[in-house]
Amino acid sequence: MTEGTGAGRPSRPKRAQVRADIVSAATSAFESAGYADTSVDAVAAAAGYTKGAVYSNFGSKPELFAEACAERLAAISADLLERVAPVLDAGGERDELVRPLAEAVVAATLDTPLRWQLLLNEFRGVALRDPAVDAAYQKLSARRVAVLVELLSSNAYLARLAPAALQRSVLVLLTLVNALALEHAAAPETVDASTVTHIVTAFFDVVLP
């Protein structure tokens, strides 16, 4: 974790590296134990730093979870854009895009490990009871929307949407696909992939310009 210097003394890791190590350890811990059963002590030990290092970089357990969750969800958003971009870039009439776009979004959603959606739900539930967690959740929610808006607005077709309309659409889409993914996992015979695709297709039929 540290490198020797010319004088033979170990150098201190840079702040960015410390943060990255802590987030990596936290991500594994949250995925394994969930939010409530993950302790800052356990994260610090797994990362190889003191508990003080965790708090000096993230302030609190809710902020640490929000950072780990934001990084994971940003990667999921990037994967989503990678899947929908070819559909949009292929062009065609609006009505020809609706179904393929929905299918690409549904495929990305159902391929995403369910663990982080469950963790997000757990975090949301704790936020409703704890003001400190609520503050971190509010920031995370806004960041999730902002990241996906930024990614999608880079696409020429989606850039036709007014910024406010794109932001609202992203918020609805995130809520919709998260709920559908959970229902599909819990009751796949009732909410099968075809039903999920039908619902998402109806959404895009309304919002696409």
Side-chain angles (χ1 to χ4, degrees), residues 33-173:
Y35 177 78
D37 292 332
T38 295
S39 69
V40 172
D41 285 320
V43 171
Y49 297 106
T50 65
K51 184 166 67 172
V54 176
Y55 282 122
S56 67
N57 278 275
F58 296 99
S60 67
K61 176 181 167 181
E63 290 182 21
L64 175 59
F65 178 81
E67 182 65 26
C69 194
E71 289 197 8
R72 184 69 183 91
L73 293 172
I76 292 171
S77 296
D79 176 65
L80 173 62
L81 179 62
E82 186 176 339
R83 297 198 189 213
V84 304
V87 177
L88 294 170
D89 293 343
E93 297 297 325
R94 174 196 175 282
D95 291 344
E96 297 172 344
L97 291 174
V98 170
R99 179 76 181 189
L101 184 58
E103 290 173 345
V105 169
V106 171
T109 299
L110 299 186
D111 285 348
T112 299
L114 196 63
R115 187 57 179 158
W116 276 98
Q117 293 176 2
L118 293 171
L119 280 168
L120 190 61
N121 274 1
E122 181 187 358
F123 193 49
R124 185 185 297 115
V126 177
L128 292 173
R129 304 187 300 272
D130 186 331
V133 178
D134 180 61
Y137 180 78
Q138 296 292 339
K139 292 180 182 178
L140 172 61
S141 182
R143 184 173 174 183
R144 290 176 67 213
V145 173
V147 167
L148 193 51
V149 165
E150 182 178 0
L151 285 171
L152 294 180
S153 62
S154 66
N155 181 273
Y157 184 87
L158 294 177
R160 300 179 192 178
L161 286 167
L166 180 57
Q167 184 171 5
R168 287 193 298 270
S169 297
V170 164
L171 180 58
V172 174
L173 180 62

Side-chain angles (χ1 to χ4, degrees), residues 186-208:
E189 293 185 3
T190 303
V191 186
D192 58 14
S194 176
T195 299
V196 175
T197 302
H198 178 77
I199 294 170
V200 177
T201 299
F203 166 79
F204 281 118
D205 193 37
V206 171
V207 302
L208 284 185

